[in-house]
């Protein structure tokens, strides 16, 4: 308004040149004001962009280094910390321990109650484990139901064993908070120490995993320290797994029949037992059956055993031999599969056998899993006899 008044007064007395100069000054002031406004707006947008970049960097760091479910460090951060710990321990000849913690039978909980329930349980597991971690320890979640703990400044295996026992007790004690149903949770722990068991991080993690497998094989709910024999056992399992894939096609498997006698020593049944001869040497069933179950090959093996039993029983009866009931072991994977009843019924019918001529043996621990009961009941309804193996 003041500029407008000044312009009107100038218009009355000034000449053309003064008008032009005044007008240019007004334009300069307007452009300066506009420029200042644009600069302030631009600076504000730059500050917002910078803050957004910082937030994104923080989010990216969180996603890259921490587990989204439990908030614990993930594998990447754990391995970075482990590498740093080993570099610091080397000059002072210090010890570093790695513990791999795996929940027992967690998949059954997920399958029975859903992943949302399992996630709540995993968060509680992380909280309980973290409450036991000393100041010189670092806990991480690798994914699934596996956690990993690194301990620096380790003085003795006894201390590590005591901590491992505390971790197992923390998981098994009392009720679980914020969990919609109560479950008894147990875990298996594999332990490896630097430099006792390994010279670098890769070897340390591998050996801890080998010790974990041994803890599971020993019955779970326990911890095991690594020894060289575990690595040899792992290599042996891998070799057996590779050879199992071709064992059936090479004719390396055969059956033997164990007679079952009553108190008067009369034959009342036979049990078909699977045997494997590899490179001219027998492989113990206690060695290759768990490998076959873990790899899923037990399904193909189980079907071959059942078909071979049907063929043999039909052959014996064709010769006039009075063969009583023959027992056949059925694995957990078979009971969880689809179409087992139709497969077994078709095989027995093709051999001209009644289902009641065959006794299907199921272990007690398998029937504790409710998912297997429908298949067991369907087999019974189809006429197959059932018996409980390894009772108690």
């Amino acid at each position: 308004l003041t500029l407008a008044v000044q312009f009107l007064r100038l218009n009355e007395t000034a000449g053309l040149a003064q008008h032009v100069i005044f007008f240019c000054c007004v334009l300069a002031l307007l452009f300066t004001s506009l420029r200042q406004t644009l600069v302030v707006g631009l600076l504000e947008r730059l500050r917002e962009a910078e803050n957004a970049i910082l937030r994104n960097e923080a989010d990216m760091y969180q996603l890259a280094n921490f587990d989204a479910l439990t908030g614990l460090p993930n594998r990447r951060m754990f391995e970075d910390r482990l590498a740093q710990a080993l570099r610091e321990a080397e000059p002072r000849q210090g010890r570093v321990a790695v513990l791999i913690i795996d929940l027992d039978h967690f998949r059954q909980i997920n399958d029975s109650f859903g992943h949302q329930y399992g996630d709540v349980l995993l968060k509680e597991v992380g909280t309980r484990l973290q409450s036991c971690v000393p100041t010189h320890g670092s806990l991480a979640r690798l994914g699934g139901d596996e956690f990993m703990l690194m301990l620096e400044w380790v003085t003795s295996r006894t201390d590590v064993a005591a901590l491992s026992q505390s971790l197992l007790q923390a998981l098994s004690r009392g009720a679980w908070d914020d969990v919609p149903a109560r479950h008894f949770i147990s875990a298996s722990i594999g332990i490896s120490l630097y430099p006792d068991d390994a010279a670098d991080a890769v070897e340390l993690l591998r050996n801890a995993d080998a010790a974990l497998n041994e803890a599971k094989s020993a019955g779970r709910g326990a911890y095991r320290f690594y020894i060289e024999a575990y690595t040899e056992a792992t290599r042996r399992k891998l070799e057996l797994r590779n050879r199992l894939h071709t064992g059936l096609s090479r004719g390396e498997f055969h059956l033997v029949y164990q007679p079952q006698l009553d108190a008067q020593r009369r034959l009342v049944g036979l049990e078909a037992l699977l045997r494997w001869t590899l490179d001219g040497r027998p492989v113990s069933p206690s060695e290759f059956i768990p490998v076959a179950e873990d790899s899923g090959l037990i399904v193909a093996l189980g079907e071959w055993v059942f078909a071979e039993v049907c063929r043999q029983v039909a052959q014996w009866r064709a010769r006039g031999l009075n063969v009583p009931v023959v027992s056949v072991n059925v694995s957990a994977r078979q009971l969880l599969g689809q179409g087992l009843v139709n497969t077994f019924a078709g095989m027995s019918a093709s051999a001209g056998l009644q289902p009641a001529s065959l006794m299907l043996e199921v272990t007690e621990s398998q029937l504790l899993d409710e998912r297997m009961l429908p298949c067991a009941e369907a087999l019974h309804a189809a006429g197959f006899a059932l018996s409980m193996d390894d009772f108690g």
Side-chain angles (χ1 to χ4, degrees):
L1 181 60
T2 302
L3 289 173
V5 172
Q6 292 294 333
F7 180 75
L8 290 175
R9 290 177 181 176
L10 183 64
N11 191 38
E12 296 174 355
T13 59
L16 179 61
Q18 290 177 317
H19 281 88
V20 172
I21 293 172
F22 182 80
F23 185 72
C24 290
C25 290
V26 171
L27 286 178
L29 289 173
L30 289 174
F31 282 127
T32 301
S33 176
L34 179 61
R35 177 179 175 276
Q36 187 175 8
T37 302
L38 292 175
V39 169
V40 171
L42 181 60
L43 290 175
E44 184 64 27
R45 287 194 295 272
L46 287 174
R47 279 194 292 269
E48 291 177 358
E50 183 182 10
N51 291 334
I53 290 174
L54 292 175
R55 288 194 299 270
N56 288 337
E57 288 179 350
D59 292 341
M60 290 174 63
Y61 180 82
Q62 184 73 22
L63 289 173
N65 295 282
F66 291 88
D67 175 55
L69 179 64
T70 62
L72 294 171
N74 60 14
R75 176 186 288 272
R76 175 180 175 178
M77 173 167 278
F78 182 88
E79 291 179 348
D80 289 344
R81 290 181 176 179
L82 177 59
Q84 178 65 26
L86 296 186
R87 285 193 296 269
E88 295 175 356
E90 183 179 4
R92 58 180 169 83
Q93 297 182 339
R95 272 173 152 184
V96 177
V98 167
L99 291 74
I100 299 181
I101 307 161
D102 184 83
L103 301 183
D104 297 332
H105 306 298
F106 182 76
R107 182 183 298 177
Q108 295 179 8
I109 296 176
N110 262 345
D111 292 343
S112 299
F113 297 94
H115 288 275
Q116 185 175 4
Y117 175 88
D119 288 347
V120 174
L121 204 59
L122 286 172
K123 291 171 68 175
E124 179 69 13
V125 167
T127 300
R128 290 199 178 188
L129 293 176
Q130 187 65 57
S131 67
C132 300
V133 176
T135 55
H136 58 281
S138 178
L139 180 68
R141 181 187 176 216
L142 302 187
D145 60 342
E146 274 197 344
F147 295 80
M148 188 174 288
L149 174 61
M150 176 186 67
L151 300 173
E152 299 182 72
W153 303 94
V154 174
T155 57
S156 70
R157 289 177 180 260
T158 303
D159 294 339
V160 179
L163 176 61
S164 300
Q165 191 61 42
S166 298
L167 294 172
L168 296 177
Q169 291 174 353
L171 295 179
S172 62
R173 73 170 187 269
W176 288 73
D177 299 333
D178 302 324
V179 175
R182 293 187 176 184
H183 279 286
F184 176 80
I185 299 297
S186 65
S188 303
I189 301 178
I191 309 167
S192 180
L193 272 70
Y194 168 88
D196 307 46
D197 306 324
D200 54 44
V202 174
E203 192 177 3
L204 192 63
L205 294 174
R206 185 197 67 195
N207 292 347
D209 192 60
L212 173 65
N213 291 333
E214 182 62 23
K216 291 180 179 180
S217 299
R220 304 177 186 267
Y223 63 87
R224 289 290 185 274
F225 284 92
Y226 172 78
I227 59 175
E228 183 62 28
Y230 296 165
T231 297
E232 295 300 324
T234 301
R235 291 172 181 166
R236 172 67 172 171
K237 288 180 180 179
L238 181 60
E239 179 188 0
L240 290 179
R241 181 173 181 173
N242 293 334
R243 297 293 295 271
L244 274 171
H245 283 278
T246 58
L248 277 177
S249 60
R250 291 171 181 257
E252 296 172 349
F253 291 95
H254 66 280
L255 298 179
V256 296
Y257 293 86
Q258 175 176 290
Q260 298 169 331
L261 309 177
D262 63 9
Q264 284 74 41
R265 299 188 63 79
R266 292 175 299 191
L267 186 69
V268 295
L270 299 171
E271 181 178 3
L273 302 174
L274 181 62
R275 294 293 182 260
W276 185 20
T277 303
L278 184 62
D279 297 332
R281 296 182 179 181
V283 182
S284 170
S286 63
E287 188 176 11
F288 74 81
I289 291 296
V291 176
E293 290 178 341
D294 290 341
S295 63
L297 293 171
I298 193 67
V299 176
L301 277 175
E303 291 181 358
W304 179 85
V305 168
F306 190 86
E308 183 66 15
V309 167
C310 291
R311 184 197 64 78
Q312 183 64 73
V313 172
Q315 188 181 82
W316 280 335
R317 291 185 176 177
R319 294 177 181 175
L321 298 176
N322 182 21
V323 180
V325 174
V326 179
S327 298
V328 183
N329 290 290
V330 181
S331 73
R333 282 185 177 265
Q334 288 177 280
L335 291 173
L336 288 174
Q338 300 294 326
L340 180 65
V341 179
N342 293 334
T343 299
F344 279 7
M347 289 180 177
S348 58
S350 297
L353 302 178
Q354 294 295 323
S357 302
L358 301 165
M359 176 79 70
L360 304 181
E361 292 195 356
V362 183
T363 63
E364 178 190 17
S365 60
Q366 290 173 353
L367 288 181
L368 290 176
D369 187 343
E370 294 181 356
R371 297 174 300 164
M372 302 180 187
L373 288 177
C375 185
E377 292 172 348
L379 288 168
H380 178 68
F384 293 100
L386 293 176
S387 68
M388 189 172 291
D389 195 15
D390 299 336
F391 180 75

